Amino acid sequence: MKTGRIIRIISNLYTVQIDEKIIECHARGKFRREKCIPCVGDYCEVDFENQYIMKILPRKNHLTRPRIANVDIALIVTSWKEPQFSYYLLDKLLTLVILNHIEPVLCFTKLDLMKKEEEKEWKKIKEEYEKIGISIFTNEEISRLKEKLTQKVVVVTGQTGAGKSTLLNRFAPNLKLKTNPISKALNRGVHTTRHTELFKIDSCYIADTPGFSALDLSEYHLAEIKNSFWEFGDISCKYRDCNHIKENECGVKEAVQTGQISTHRYESYRDLIKEVEK
C-alpha cells in the first residue's frame, strides 16, 4: 500500500501522484456507499499494483464547489470590469473560504479597463480589504504573488470570466489553459475549465477549477456567518449575542455609521444573513 495525492478527477478516473510517479486509479465502491466522495487534493492509500484507491486519509478542510480538499490558500480572482466588480459576490466567496479555514488572498484583474475617475474607488476598495487583514495583489504582480504562494496548495476561484485561467497561464505559460471572452449580453464569463486539477507550478500546487455558478451557505449557522466578518470581532456591543441587524445601540452598526467598518461590507453581511434565513 502506498500513499499519494489525488491531483485530477475526470469522470470515474482518478489521477494520483505518488512521490514522482503519476498513476490512473479507480475508487473502491465502498466510498459511494459510505458517502465519502474523493476530492482533488485528498491524500489517499493506494493499491499500487491493482491501481485502486483504498482509503481517503483525514482532511484538514474541503470545499464542495469546487470539490477540493486540503487547501492552504484560496486565491480569489475578481475583475474590475467584464464582468463588473461585485462587493456581494466577493464577500460571499470570502465568507465561504473563511468558514472552511482557508486563507483568502485577492487578485484583481482587468484594472487596465479602469477609467481615470474610478481610481479613487479602486484605492478605497483595496484599503477596505487590507484593513481587515486580507492580502491583495493585481495580475501585474506575478513575482510578488508567486512568493506569497510558495509551498502552498492553492485553489484559484472567483467569478466566471474574471481571468483565472489567464492568470494561471501567466504563472506557467506551458499550461496553455483555454480562455474565452465574456458574454457582453450577460456580463459574465463562459466556462472554460471543465474539471478541477492540481498543477505543480514551481514550489506550489495550484488548482484551476470550474467557475462558480452558485454559492450555497445554507449549511452554516447565522453565528458562523457573523464570525466570518473578522472586523466585527474588534467591536464591542451592548448585547453578548448581538446579530448586528435589528438590535438598538449595536456597536457594529455604530461603527458602520462612523466609517470604522465599511458600509459595503456591512450591506453584504446583512444580505447574506437574509439569504441564509430563507
Side-chain angles (χ1 to χ4, degrees), residues 226 231-261 266 269-270:
K226 179 177 67 176
E231 60 267 48
F232 293 0
D234 297 327
I235 305 298
S236 297
C237 273
K238 180 179 179 180
Y239 311 102
R240 179 180 298 178
D241 298 321
C242 185
N243 287 323
H244 316 311
I245 301 292
K246 299 177 181 178
E247 297 87 349
N248 295 322
E249 301 180 45
C250 167
V252 166
K253 290 163 68 175
E254 291 175 0
V256 174
Q257 293 172 358
T258 61
Q260 187 176 351
I261 288 177
Y266 178 73
Y269 166 72
R270 189 177 55 194

Side-chain angles (χ1 to χ4, degrees), residues 182-217:
I182 74 157
S183 165
K184 297 287 187 180
L186 299 176
N187 189 40
R188 59 180 172 83
V190 179
H191 290 287
T192 56
T193 305
R194 300 301 179 185
H195 64 274
T196 300
E197 181 172 356
L198 279 178
F199 296 100
K200 182 74 178 293
I201 300 178
D202 295 335
S203 62
C204 67
Y205 280 93
I206 296 185
D208 187 26
T209 66
F212 281 68
S213 58
L215 293 170
D216 185 12
L217 296 175

Side-chain angles (χ1 to χ4, degrees), residues 146-165:
K146 277 187 175 182
E147 185 177 340
K148 173 68 177 178
L149 306 182
T150 298
Q151 296 184 338
K152 304 293 185 181
V153 175
V154 183
V155 59
V156 182
T157 189
Q159 190 173 7
T160 305
K164 298 186 294 296
S165 295

Side-chain angles (χ1 to χ4, degrees), residues 79-234:
S79 60
W80 181 252
K81 287 185 177 180
E82 298 183 8
Q84 193 73 26
F85 170 74
S86 167
Y87 267 107
Y88 180 67
L89 178 59
L90 175 55
D91 289 331
K92 193 171 184 180
L93 277 167
L94 284 171
T95 293
L96 183 66
V97 166
I98 290 168
L99 288 175
N100 282 278
H101 311 290
I102 300 169
E103 179 187 355
V105 173
L106 302 187
C107 182
F108 281 85
T109 64
K110 305 185 184 181
L111 293 178
D112 57 308
L113 301 179
M114 181 187 302
K115 296 179 180 178
K116 185 70 176 177
E117 60 269 23
E118 295 173 328
E119 290 181 3
K120 186 176 180 180
E121 181 184 358
W122 147 245
K123 290 179 181 178
K124 181 183 176 182
I125 291 170
K126 185 174 182 290
E127 288 173 0
E128 286 177 352
Y129 285 100
E130 286 179 333
K131 182 180 176 181
I132 63 176
I134 296 174
S135 300
I136 296 182
F137 300 83
T138 73
N139 61 332
E140 299 299 322
E141 300 175 297
I142 299 300
S143 296
R144 180 170 163 255
L145 184 54
K146 277 187 175 182
E147 185 177 340
K148 173 68 177 178
L149 306 182
T150 298
Q151 296 184 338
K152 304 293 185 181
V153 175
V154 183
V155 59
V156 182
T157 189
Q159 190 173 7
T160 305
K164 298 186 294 296
S165 295
T166 299
L167 181 66
L168 284 182
N169 284 337
R170 294 193 65 186
F171 264 80
N174 60 307
L175 290 178
K176 297 180 180 178
L177 300 176
K178 184 180 178 183
T179 62
N180 275 337
I182 74 157
S183 165
K184 297 287 187 180
L186 299 176
N187 189 40
R188 59 180 172 83
V190 179
H191 290 287
T192 56
T193 305
R194 300 301 179 185
H195 64 274
T196 300
E197 181 172 356
L198 279 178
F199 296 100
K200 182 74 178 293
I201 300 178
D202 295 335
S203 62
C204 67
Y205 280 93
I206 296 185
D208 187 26
T209 66
F212 281 68
S213 58
L215 293 170
D216 185 12
L217 296 175
S218 61
E219 65 181 278
Y220 299 103
H221 298 295
L222 300 186
E224 292 176 301
I225 304 295
K226 179 177 67 176
N227 292 338
S228 74
F229 282 73
W230 292 335
E231 60 267 48
F232 293 0
D234 297 327

Side-chain angles (χ1 to χ4, degrees), residues 49-79:
E49 183 177 347
N50 296 302
Q51 296 185 330
Y52 263 89
I53 296 173
M54 307 300 290
K55 181 180 180 180
I56 301 297
L57 300 180
R59 299 163 173 162
K60 71 175 183 180
N61 57 44
H62 79 282
L63 295 167
T64 55
R65 287 191 179 184
R67 188 169 295 283
I68 189 168
N70 300 313
V71 178
D72 298 310
I73 288 177
L75 179 60
I76 301 175
V77 181
T78 183
S79 60

